[in-house]
Each structure stands twice: as structure tokens, then as C-alpha cells.
Amino acid sequence: MRKTLSVLLTAAMATSMLAACGSSNTQATTAAPAETKAAETQAATTAAPAETTVAEVTEAAKEAAASGDTITVGFAQVGHESDWRTASTNSVQAALSKENGIDLQFVDCDNDSAAQLEAVRNFIQQGVDYIVIDPIVSTGWDTVLTEADDAGIPVIVIDRTIDDSDKYVSWVGSEFTNEGLAAGAWLKAYVADKGISEVNALVISGTTGSSAQIGRSNGFDKYVESEKWNKIDEQTGDFTQEGGQKVMESYLKSYEGKFNVVVCQNDNEAFGAIDAMKAAGVSYGVDGDVIVISFDACTAGLQKVLAGEINADFQCNPLQGPDCLNIIKKLEAGETVDQKTFMAEPWYVAEDKLKDITYTNNSGKEVTEPLVVVDQAVVDAAY
Ligand code: GYE
């Protein structure tokens, strides 16, 4: 372990472990309403530390880096399945950089849960200072997180959630159920506006058992039930373009002419589904027979919204690197960190008729959120 920061780190570990213990209690009880999330996470944080403390530690980290005595962080990333994932990897690599005093060990787990557990175990064996995990699936974590805990290595979880263990210090990511609920609320308002009386939906879901898939499916299914929509089928495209295309090709064999909505749980699946519909001569998007819903809102996805090929795209923000760095800096400074940090996420649409949607979010609170019509500036500002 590096020398320069070892004293600070000892203090930080004690605090982070306390924070981790504390978090297990709040975790069970704290649901996070979108509109109060900033306030909640603020409230969960202890009194704001003197800026100088963080600055001093950052300075120390930079000095340590200059002397080759850096903070080592192991990052077990899901894989490279989508545009979103590329943006996530870039964000973490840019933030957890040599310039910021961090020696990042990056493992691309290629969507293989066993490989991801092994990567984390390797980090523990190497004795890295921190472990960052974007968990492929939400369960199967408690044993390895206990091992990290026993080794005194703080674990930070980003993006997807871990649902069967509380042995991590902090999580930063998205409220996936709200994304699914927002998609349902938008579809309900959209078909009412267009005078479409029947919804026959096909879903191309993400990686089965990932919290992103579970949340988006659960949220949308609430509307399937309440609106008595016909959900014809739901099969996984594994968050890939190839998967989206294959699932749509098989759907077209079974259900061509019988569906008017396709819900793709990420942009890359939507690209594949669109290619398959195009090849089969099925019209889609704002001028077509099939309404296309997507999630992520990456640059290429928003380009398709702008072109009217995707009707609505529900953002999931992958830029979690800076938050991750901030958490590490705070732990280094011996500060308490937020147990949960939610990313801000707008909902994007192709047409300007509906201004907003109102729905009951995952915390049981009625919220009204704006719909952003995509123009070139929105596309240019995307990731
Ligand atoms: O939606 C998808 C990616 O975990 C939220 O994973 C992330 C999802 C994202 O492959 O594109």
C-alpha cells in the first residue's frame, strides 16, 4: 500500500466501514423519489467537510502519483455490449486516471458473471485500495463482498444494483423502475393523443437478471396491467444490437402484422430491431405502424429519435466516473459518503405534442416530468 496516504486511508477505512454498516439499515427502508433524490442524498451525508480537506487529499494523491505511490483501484466492468457501456468505461477511465492519482486496473468481464466474480477476487488478492463493480446481475454477491470486507477493501458499486448484499460503501446509478414507468406513462399518453385504441406490444429485454432489465420490465409491466395492454412476448436481446436484431427477426416470423409497439430496453437493441423491421418492409417510428421505445439516449439513439425512427428514448446516464472519483476522494479524506447517488435523467421524444408525463414513481409519489424534443443540439451534447 502506498505510503503518502496510508494514515488518511486508515481513517477513511474506519469511516467507510461505519458508513457501510449504516447503509445496510437505511438501504432497506429508503426508497428514492426522483424529485427529492438530491435532497435525500444531501441529507444522508454528514456535515459538509471543509473543502481544504478534500483539496489536501487530492494534492496528496497527486504527489503520491508523481512519486509512483498511487491509489490502486480495480474496476470490474460488465463488458462492451453497447454504446452506453463504452460511454461508461470512458467516463470511469477518464476520472480514475493517473493525473488524479489513481492507478486503475480495468477488467472487461464480457457479460460473464463468473468472470466478474473472479475479477473481484483477483483484486482482493492483489490488495488494491478500492474495488469498483458494475454488477452484471443483481444477485450472487454476498460471499465475495464479505471477502472484500474482511480484507478491508471498500467496494463502490456503479450503475446496476446489488440486491443480495449490503457490504459496499456507496452506489451511484439510475432508478431503472422509474425509467420503465416513464416509458409506460409516455405510451399511455401517446396512444391516447393519436387515437390508437389497442396496444399490442413486443418487448426486447436486456440482460436477464440485471437490475436494469428487472427495473425497466417491472416499471413498464405496471402499465401493461393497468391499461390492459396486450404484451405479446418478451425475450432478451442481451443489450446488444445483434441480440435486438435476432429477437426481432424471430418476432417477425411469429407476429408480423400483429404488433404496433416494440419496447427495446436499450438503444443498441433498438438499432437491431429497426434493421430487422426495415429488411422485412415493416414501417416504424413517427410515420410508421410500429411505435419504437428505447432506453439509454446515447448519441446514435438520439440521432434516431431526431430522424423519427425511435419515438421515445428514456435516458440512462452512464457518466458515473466523476461521482466515483468523488466518493474515493471523500473516503480518502475520512468523510462519510452518500449511500446512494442517483443520476439526473431526462426523457427524450421525437414529436412536440406532449409536453410532459405524470406518473406514480417507484417510491409511490406522483411526479410530473418534462418530455424533451430532440434537436441537433441535444444530439451534439450526448455521449
Ligand atoms: O442500458 C445498456 C447497457 O446497465 C444501465 O447496460 C446499463 C445498461 C444499459 O448495456 O445499454
Side-chain angles (χ1 to χ4, degrees):
M1 186 179 291
R2 65 203 181 282
K3 277 178 252 129
T4 323
L5 297 174
S6 57
V7 177
L8 284 166
L9 184 62
T10 312
M13 295 248 246
T15 316
S16 70
M17 288 305 125
L18 280 176
C21 295
S23 65
S24 57
N25 297 332
T26 16
Q27 210 144 28
T29 49
T30 312
E35 70 296 347
T36 54
K37 41 200 183 194
E40 272 186 10
T41 46
Q42 293 285 331
T45 319
T46 48
E51 262 314 305
T52 48
T53 319
V54 176
E56 272 166 21
V57 170
T58 309
E59 260 328 294
K62 282 186 179 160
E63 278 167 29
S67 65
D69 201 10
T70 52
I71 302 167
T72 53
V73 179
F75 175 30
Q77 172 63 296
V78 168
H80 51 274
E81 72 283 1
S82 62
D83 289 21
W84 191 100
R85 190 61 53 201
T86 304
S88 159
T89 295
N90 290 344
S91 174
V92 173
Q93 287 179 333
L96 304 189
S97 63
K98 285 244 151 46
E99 299 72 53
N100 287 329
I102 289 174
D103 175 15
L104 182 66
Q105 299 185 32
F106 175 82
V107 178
D108 175 336
C109 301
D110 200 16
N111 218 23
D112 177 340
S113 295
Q116 192 168 42
L117 289 176
E118 197 187 319
V120 173
R121 288 208 162 90
N122 283 339
F123 292 147
I124 297 170
Q125 261 171 19
Q126 287 168 43
V128 297
D129 299 312
Y130 296 90
I131 296 173
V132 178
I133 304 171
D134 188 330
I136 297 169
V137 291
S138 61
T139 55
W141 285 102
D142 199 48
T143 307
V144 74
L145 292 196
T146 303
E147 289 163 22
D149 198 7
D150 290 347
I153 303 173
V155 171
I156 298 160
V157 180
I158 64 166
D159 171 29
R160 301 181 186 175
T161 55
I162 283 177
D163 296 335
D164 65 345
S165 178
D166 56 19
K167 296 192 181 67
Y168 54 88
V169 179
S170 189
W171 168 85
V172 49
S174 304
E175 199 359 320
F176 302 116
T177 306
N178 283 349
E179 294 171 359
L181 286 167
W186 172 81
L187 182 61
K188 179 183 170 182
Y190 187 77
V191 294
D193 184 65
K194 295 260 163 181
I196 297 169
S197 56
E198 253 187 64
V199 167
N200 295 302
L202 289 169
V203 177
I204 304 178
S205 54
T207 299
T208 306
S210 66
S211 63
Q213 175 272 314
I214 295 168
R216 289 169 190 168
S217 293
N218 287 348
F220 187 75
D221 281 352
K222 288 224 164 105
Y223 279 83
V224 170
E225 275 167 40
S226 67
E227 300 310 306
K228 304 198 170 27
W229 289 338
N230 176 25
K231 186 171 86 175
I232 305 169
D233 208 340
E234 171 160 350
Q235 284 179 35
T236 183
D238 237 349
F239 283 135
T240 64
Q241 177 158 348
E242 199 194 358
Q245 181 162 348
K246 279 196 181 141
V247 172
M248 181 47 88
E249 281 164 359
S250 110
Y251 280 165
L252 286 166
K253 281 190 194 128
S254 313
Y255 315 116
E256 189 163 349
K258 295 183 181 142
F259 66 98
N260 61 351
V261 175
V262 60
V263 180
C264 305
Q265 285 187 350
N266 81 344
D267 283 344
N268 293 79
E269 290 182 340
F271 306 154
I274 283 171
D275 286 347
M277 288 192 284
K278 221 184 261 172
V282 172
S283 71
Y284 57 88
V286 295
D287 298 321
D289 295 331
V290 178
I291 298 166
V292 181
I293 294 176
S294 184
F295 297 85
D296 280 1
C298 293
T299 302
L302 290 176
Q303 264 159 358
K304 290 223 179 286
V305 180
L306 185 58
E309 294 187 68
I310 291 176
N311 297 70
D313 202 344
F314 295 83
Q315 195 197 44
C316 181
N317 190 332
L319 307 180
Q320 291 148 1
D323 284 292
C324 212
L325 177 64
N326 200 29
I327 290 164
I328 290 172
K329 278 189 195 169
K330 283 187 166 183
L331 293 173
E332 289 286 306
E335 295 165 19
T336 307
V337 294
D338 293 345
Q339 181 206 338
K340 292 182 177 188
T341 306
F342 286 89
M343 310 296 289
E345 306 189 317
W347 316 134
Y348 292 109
V349 291
E351 293 160 279
D352 64 1
K353 281 191 164 176
L354 303 167
K355 298 287 170 240
D356 52 37
I357 46 169
T358 297
Y359 64 101
T360 303
N361 72 13
N362 198 29
S363 308
K365 189 160 174 121
E366 190 174 283
V367 291
T368 298
E369 292 169 344
L371 296 167
V372 179
V373 180
V374 173
D375 58 16
Q376 192 58 48
V378 169
V379 175
D380 292 345
Y383 36 81

